[in-house]
């Protein structure tokens, strides 16, 4: 009984840490999103009920069928490489549609653990916007000097 109590306490602690983590994360297992944390819900606007399967995520997050297929192929290749090496899924850049229709630039990576996978989502949209603004300013300056 004591071991069961300790295990339950560890599970509660893990769940609390996972949910409170400042990085958007999901735990995937058997083509299902087992859990997603508060940062994920805030970033994308999706609740667990919106994403009963990984396929539901693909459909909502990547509405363009050609881009969606590229994302699926790229992600699955990265996961396969991770499974054959150290378990780390290489972070790659993807454009993701949020529930309210915004498009975000994200670095998505993860770690294979215990027959599942933790995926992490880092929003680099502000960085990409700053780069675009800097490029425009440079082009405007060059045009003014021409």
């Amino acid at each position: 009984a004591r071991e069961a109590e300790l295990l339950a306490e560890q599970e509660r602690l893990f769940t609390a840490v996972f949910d409170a983590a400042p990085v958007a994360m999901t735990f995937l297992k058997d083509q299902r999103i087992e859990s997603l944390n508060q940062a994920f819900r805030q970033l994308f606007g999706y609740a667990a009920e919106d994403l009963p399967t990984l396929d539901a995520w693909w459909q909502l997050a990547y509405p363009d069928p050609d881009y969606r297929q590229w994302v699926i192929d790229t992600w699955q290749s990265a996961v396969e490489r991770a499974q054959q090496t150290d378990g780390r899924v290489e972070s790659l850049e993807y454009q993701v549609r949020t529930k309210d229709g915004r498009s975000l630039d994200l670095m998505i990576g993860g770690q294979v653990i215990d027959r599942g996978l933790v995926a992490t989502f880092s929003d680099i949209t502000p960085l990409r916007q700053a780069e675009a603004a800097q490029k425009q300013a440079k082009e405007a300056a060059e045009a003014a000097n021409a």
Side-chain angles (χ1 to χ4, degrees), residues 17-123:
V17 169
F18 179 84
D19 200 48
V23 173
M25 294 190 297
T26 60
F27 180 66
L28 310 168
K29 193 170 183 181
D30 301 325
Q31 297 300 304
R32 293 182 50 78
I33 297 174
E34 292 287 317
S35 54
L36 41 92
N37 70 353
Q38 180 64 31
F40 180 96
R41 294 189 294 273
Q42 288 174 333
L43 183 61
F44 298 111
Y46 296 118
E49 306 80 62
D50 298 321
L51 307 170
T53 63
L54 191 53
D55 190 56
W57 164 253
W58 299 128
Q59 300 288 328
L60 292 168
Y62 311 101
D64 176 80
D66 293 335
Y67 185 66
R68 179 187 320 130
Q69 192 57 56
W70 176 85
V71 169
I72 292 169
D73 293 344
T74 303
W75 176 254
Q76 288 177 338
S77 292
V79 170
E80 286 168 16
R81 279 193 306 277
Q83 289 168 331
Q84 293 163 7
T85 57
D86 62 358
R88 190 183 66 80
V89 180
E90 178 187 6
S91 286
L92 298 168
E93 188 169 341
Y94 301 92
Q95 282 197 322
V96 177
R97 181 76 49 93
T98 63
K99 188 169 185 174
D100 65 8
R102 291 175 301 127
S103 182
L104 298 178
D105 296 305
L106 297 167
M107 293 300 292
I108 305 175
Q111 181 70 39
V112 175
I113 54 168
D114 190 35
R115 299 185 319 276
L117 181 131
V118 173
T120 58
F121 305 80
S122 301
D123 185 4

